[in-house]
Amino acid sequence: MSFLRTSLLLPALLVALAACNPADEPPAGDVAPPQGAPDAISGQLAEDAAEIGTFPTLTGELPAIIAHRGASGYFPEHTLPAFQLANEQGADILEPDLMVSRDGVLIVRHDPYLSTSTDVEAREEFADRRRELMGRNDWWVMDFTAGELQSLNARQVFPDRSQEHNDRFSVMTFGDFLDMVDGMQARCRCEIPVEPEIKLPAEHTAMGLDPAPILIAELEARGLNTEDSLVIIQSFDAPFLERLRPLTPLPLAMLHYGDEEGGNMNGYSLEQVAGFADAVGAYKGLLLNPDGSSTGYLERAHALGLVVHTWTHRDDRPSLLTDGDTDDELRALFALGVDGVFTDFPDTAVRIREEMLNAE
């Protein structure tokens, strides 16, 4: 079992994905990603890139561009066109978040509540499903069957992003997502890695909806629970990943936000995480200081053999850096040696990586 096989396959996958724009692919929509001549890389960053000749990732391969809920900066997250656009923009890995429905089906949603990401509030037939849970009065994924959830339409969760694609695309199951990926792969004759995140596994299990056997059964049914499948499983729940470890040869990624409740790796150290996981998905603020210097976290993780995927880059949110914009933030992360970046805007990350790769 090794997470590194995915990194080692990335160059071939990048070539395949770059050519994956088949004429028979349905258009993802009428949102045109910004076009424009990229700024030249200059200063110390360009010198560093020229000196190392590659990126200082764990394997020395290109850092992966991970489409965070698809190209969610342009379309409502977790929708067919969001994932299609991400693929067209050159993302290396597609990331869906997974919840569990009342009837035990994996649903592609980030939040357990539905009011912000779907049209459920406008659906009179579901008015009586609203209830108090987790300190919030809302509609909840685990109170609906998969069929009911698929009847809902997705909406953009960020109010300052375009709302023009709201209510046009339905909620997906994990099966729908994998069918979509199969179709993409058939058209481009390439392999597309996926990195599903299991959301709130402890809370689901307490409701009798343990996602572990459901996930393994879905992967087994599709022949994906094998060591050569391009699937990475991630979670914020360390005990859940420990339970998964004997059930799958697939790489596991421990997500880490910081000291906040639910985001601190259940108090596990990086050394303990390295005992059952292959990667760590660290919040970017754990890796970089505001001045752009390293905190030392990435170096510690790499020394333990842990791949580092970091989150979340967004063009339309403030930069982590005190002096620098969001493009500079990406440059700093790539120069640091992250092995992958989750982003809502895959085209931007592809552009910055290309600039750095070609820097003289």
Side-chain angles (χ1 to χ4, degrees):
M1 175 201 65
S2 173
F3 181 87
L4 299 186
R5 65 179 178 276
T6 304
S7 298
L8 292 170
L9 283 170
L10 271 176
L13 287 172
L14 285 168
V15 172
L17 285 168
C20 187
N21 263 324
D24 60 345
E25 177 94 336
D30 54 2
V31 171
Q35 304 293 321
D39 294 331
I41 301 294
S42 61
Q44 187 61 46
L45 186 61
E47 293 177 17
D48 292 344
E51 180 180 346
I52 62 177
T54 185
F55 293 86
T57 56
L58 184 61
T59 64
E61 304 292 349
L62 293 177
I65 309 303
I66 308 164
H68 185 243
R69 312 176 201 171
S72 53
Y74 299 107
F75 283 95
E77 64 189 32
H78 290 139
T79 57
L80 178 65
F83 288 118
Q84 287 178 335
L85 181 59
N87 186 50
E88 293 164 7
Q89 289 180 339
D92 306 308
I93 301 174
L94 302 181
E95 185 240 12
D97 295 303
L98 301 179
M99 306 286 297
V100 184
S101 68
R102 186 176 70 189
D103 52 345
V105 177
L106 293 171
I107 304 297
V108 182
R109 287 286 93 187
H110 175 266
D111 299 315
Y113 50 87
L114 294 164
S115 64
T116 57
S117 67
T118 75
D119 63 347
V120 67
E121 194 165 6
R123 302 288 291 275
E124 293 183 3
E125 68 269 34
F126 298 133
D128 62 349
R129 302 285 183 90
R130 186 168 188 161
R131 67 175 176 124
E132 190 79 22
L133 187 66
M134 302 182 193
R136 182 186 179 102
N137 191 270
D138 213 304
W139 293 262
W140 301 88
V141 170
M142 54 285 294
D143 290 338
F144 290 74
T145 66
E148 290 170 335
L149 291 162
Q150 287 172 299
S151 76
L152 298 176
N153 296 307
R155 292 182 173 179
Q156 174 59 253
V157 298
F158 286 91
D160 58 340
R161 290 179 178 173
S162 172
Q163 306 294 309
E164 65 178 312
H165 301 294
N166 287 350
D167 302 340
R168 295 176 56 193
F169 310 105
S170 60
V171 170
M172 306 173 75
T173 66
F174 189 40
D176 295 333
F177 171 83
L178 292 174
D179 287 342
M180 174 201 70
V181 172
D182 284 345
M184 288 179 177
Q185 293 182 140
R187 286 188 288 272
C188 70
R189 295 182 179 88
C190 64
E191 292 181 290
I192 302 174
V194 299
E195 191 163 349
E197 178 188 346
I198 312 304
K199 305 297 295 186
L200 304 176
E203 289 80 357
H204 279 99
T205 300
M207 297 177 187
L209 297 169
D210 184 358
I214 300 171
L215 173 66
I216 296 301
E218 179 93 54
L219 294 172
E220 289 279 3
R222 291 174 177 265
L224 293 175
N225 194 32
T226 64
E227 63 179 12
D228 58 348
S229 296
L230 295 181
V231 180
I232 306 156
I233 302 170
Q234 49 172 335
S235 177
F236 276 103
D237 190 310
F240 174 72
L241 292 179
E242 288 183 301
R243 283 202 293 126
L244 278 185
R245 183 68 288 160
L247 303 178
T248 181
L250 294 169
L252 304 180
M254 180 74 241
L255 295 172
H256 189 192
Y257 181 60
D259 295 332
E260 288 75 5
E261 183 178 356
N264 67 351
M265 302 199 298
N266 302 90
Y268 290 30
S269 66
L270 278 175
E271 288 75 15
Q272 288 173 305
V273 166
F276 60 84
D278 307 274
V280 60
Y283 172 60
K284 59 193 178 183
L286 294 174
L287 307 180
L288 287 178
N289 294 311
D291 65 359
S293 63
S294 174
T295 63
Y297 185 107
L298 178 133
E299 292 84 352
R300 287 175 53 216
H302 276 182
L304 292 166
L306 289 168
V307 166
V308 178
H309 286 179
T310 190
W311 51 273
T312 301
H313 173 266
R314 295 182 167 112
D315 290 5
D316 55 1
R317 292 297 178 268
S319 171
L320 175 72
L321 304 180
T322 301
D323 183 18
D325 59 17
T326 53
D327 280 8
D328 294 322
E329 177 184 281
L330 268 176
R331 293 183 185 108
L333 289 167
F334 286 148
L336 178 65
V338 297
D339 303 286
V341 173
F342 291 91
T343 176
D344 293 2
F345 300 86
D347 55 334
T348 299
V350 168
R351 171 176 59 82
I352 296 297
R353 184 178 63 183
E354 186 71 13
E355 289 175 3
M356 294 180 67
L357 189 64
N358 295 325
E360 296 181 356

